[in-house]
Amino acid sequence: MIILVAMAGSWMLRGLLLKLLRERHPEEFADLGFPSNRQLASFYPQYREMQIRFWKYLWGGKIFRINDKLISGLARAALIADTALAVGALLLLWAAGHSK
């Protein structure tokens, strides 16, 4: 359940974050390569560079330097959702290893 909620939350927060960046800070959005939520979730190799740029922007903390409280709040929530997803996956692996 943790994994499903974290995945949905992460996807939704990322979409809101992209929308707000596009509307409020178009220069930052352009620097990221005009990503869409679908492109960031894609496994296609042509989007790999854009995905890396976005994750570095988010996880590197550069997103917090634009001084927009709403975007900073959404970014924090997205980081929490990503962390919850990773923890959920680790718990699932741990439980699968100990169920024998």
Side-chain angles (χ1 to χ4, degrees):
M1 191 65 167
I2 293 171
I3 294 172
L4 292 175
V5 170
M7 283 175 62
S10 181
W11 186 82
M12 182 184 70
L13 290 165
R14 188 175 56 228
L16 287 170
L17 197 55
L18 290 172
K19 181 179 185 247
L20 285 175
L21 279 172
R22 182 176 42 248
E23 292 172 358
R24 292 179 170 207
H25 305 280
E27 67 286 344
E28 296 283 331
F29 188 71
D31 287 345
L32 292 171
F34 304 100
S36 71
N37 215 7
R38 278 190 158 176
Q39 290 169 332
L40 292 178
S42 175
F43 289 112
Y44 289 127
Q46 69 254 29
Y47 300 126
R48 202 64 65 215
E49 179 64 33
M50 180 186 298
Q51 292 165 343
I52 292 169
R53 206 172 326 146
F54 177 79
W55 294 119
K56 282 184 179 179
Y57 184 70
L58 180 63
W59 281 91
K62 188 176 178 185
I63 195 166
F64 298 109
R65 294 185 204 134
I66 60 175
N67 295 324
D68 186 323
K69 289 183 181 185
L70 182 57
I71 288 178
S72 292
L74 284 172
R76 280 187 186 89
L79 292 172
I80 291 168
D82 288 347
T83 303
L85 179 59
V87 168
L90 289 173
L91 287 173
L92 181 65
L93 291 173
W94 178 78
H98 283 20
S99 66
K100 296 176 183 177

